[in-house]
Amino acid sequence: MLPDDPETRLATVRDAIARSARLADRKADAVTLIAISKTRSAGEIEPLLAAGQRVFGENRVQEAAAKWPALREAWPDTRLHLVGQLQSNKAEEAVASFDVIHSVDRSSLVAALARAMERQGRRPDCFLQVNIGDEEQKGGCAIDDLPALLAQARAAHLPIAGLMAVPPADTEPAPYFALLATLARDHGLTGLSMGMSGDYETAVTLGATHVRVGTALFGERG
């Protein structure tokens, strides 16, 4: 049962991150908590901002553009992450609106983001998304395609923060998190965007630097 108030939910998640980090001999401040605010209203987001949360994630460029300008005016130190799939034709808007993009998964998107960054003089950090469970319905590049995509991204001077993945649903996530960590290490990357409300503690013990938590912070959708 989740606590009723956002401040307590936030403290509970932060405590769980700290506990998991200690188990892995890591520091809690090495993990960035991203509050996933997709489909949540400004009225639902504001209590978490008031409680001190400053990093949020959205799935859609259009939704973020509709609600975040006013929120960021009130809380200007907020950082916004795009965690959903990104169409190449939305690259300009994504670069303008987000501080970090987690779903770079194909050659055309790398090229579109590079052009947008060059035009705007703005360079959001980027995670390359890996289809870690080889699922047809999911975004992310195939594991075998990662070296070529990373080489292209580096050649295009994208600021590569690390790798992102979503393990298959209803399976033990730990092997997938461990595989992503191995891929990152093999390619000289330190950032790992992995772990959501149901498995973020496991992700932290396996090296997550960014966890994407929605329900555990906002409660169940009505």
Side-chain angles (χ1 to χ4, degrees), residues 162-217:
L163 302 180
M164 184 271 248
V166 181
D170 303 319
T171 61
E172 169 54 50
Y176 296 98
F177 293 153
L179 175 56
L180 193 71
T182 297
L183 289 170
R185 187 170 57 250
D186 289 349
H187 290 92
L189 299 170
T190 56
L192 289 169
S193 172
M194 60 188 195
M196 299 186 290
S197 284
D199 56 22
Y200 69 90
E201 293 170 82
T202 300
V204 170
T205 65
L206 290 167
T209 60
H210 295 70
V211 293
R212 310 180 303 269
V213 179
T215 302
L217 290 171

Side-chain angles (χ1 to χ4, degrees), residues 97-125:
S97 300
F98 290 91
D99 300 293
V100 185
I101 297 169
H102 288 244
S103 49
V104 181
D105 63 355
R106 59 197 184 279
S107 177
S108 60
L109 183 54
V110 167
L113 287 169
R115 288 193 299 269
M117 289 182 191
E118 185 68 26
R119 277 193 288 267
Q120 296 184 35
R122 193 170 191 277
R123 306 185 68 76
D125 285 340

Side-chain angles (χ1 to χ4, degrees), residues 133-152:
D134 193 24
E135 298 173 274
E136 285 186 15
Q137 76 278 17
K138 270 198 185 147
C141 73
I143 291 173
D144 288 346
D145 295 337
L146 177 60
L149 185 67
L150 180 57
Q152 183 197 359

Side-chain angles (χ1 to χ4, degrees), residues 8-220:
T8 302
R9 289 197 294 264
L10 178 59
T12 299
V13 171
R14 286 179 172 170
D15 286 348
I17 289 172
R19 188 168 58 248
S20 299
R22 282 195 301 272
L23 287 172
D25 199 24
R26 303 179 65 206
K27 293 184 177 177
D29 61 8
V31 183
T32 298
L33 171 61
I34 305 168
I36 301 301
S37 50
K38 64 177 183 179
T39 76
R40 305 291 183 170
S41 67
E44 292 175 281
I45 294 167
E46 285 170 341
L48 277 177
L49 283 161
Q53 177 65 20
R54 288 294 181 272
V55 184
F56 290 81
E58 292 284 342
N59 264 33
R60 297 171 61 84
V61 173
Q62 301 95 314
E63 183 184 347
K67 68 189 180 189
W68 274 102
L71 289 168
R72 296 185 91 173
E73 188 172 341
W75 284 276
D77 56 340
T78 300
R79 286 179 61 81
L80 201 56
H81 292 232
L82 179 64
V83 299
Q85 293 306 114
L86 177 61
Q87 296 175 331
S88 296
N89 64 2
K90 298 289 184 184
E92 288 279 352
E93 295 167 73
V95 168
S97 300
F98 290 91
D99 300 293
V100 185
I101 297 169
H102 288 244
S103 49
V104 181
D105 63 355
R106 59 197 184 279
S107 177
S108 60
L109 183 54
V110 167
L113 287 169
R115 288 193 299 269
M117 289 182 191
E118 185 68 26
R119 277 193 288 267
Q120 296 184 35
R122 193 170 191 277
R123 306 185 68 76
D125 285 340
C126 295
F127 285 85
L128 300 188
Q129 183 176 356
V130 181
N131 188 344
I132 203 74
D134 193 24
E135 298 173 274
E136 285 186 15
Q137 76 278 17
K138 270 198 185 147
C141 73
I143 291 173
D144 288 346
D145 295 337
L146 177 60
L149 185 67
L150 180 57
Q152 183 197 359
R154 284 172 167 161
H157 304 295
L158 292 195
I160 304 300
L163 302 180
M164 184 271 248
V166 181
D170 303 319
T171 61
E172 169 54 50
Y176 296 98
F177 293 153
L179 175 56
L180 193 71
T182 297
L183 289 170
R185 187 170 57 250
D186 289 349
H187 290 92
L189 299 170
T190 56
L192 289 169
S193 172
M194 60 188 195
M196 299 186 290
S197 284
D199 56 22
Y200 69 90
E201 293 170 82
T202 300
V204 170
T205 65
L206 290 167
T209 60
H210 295 70
V211 293
R212 310 180 303 269
V213 179
T215 302
L217 290 171
F218 287 96
E220 298 291 343

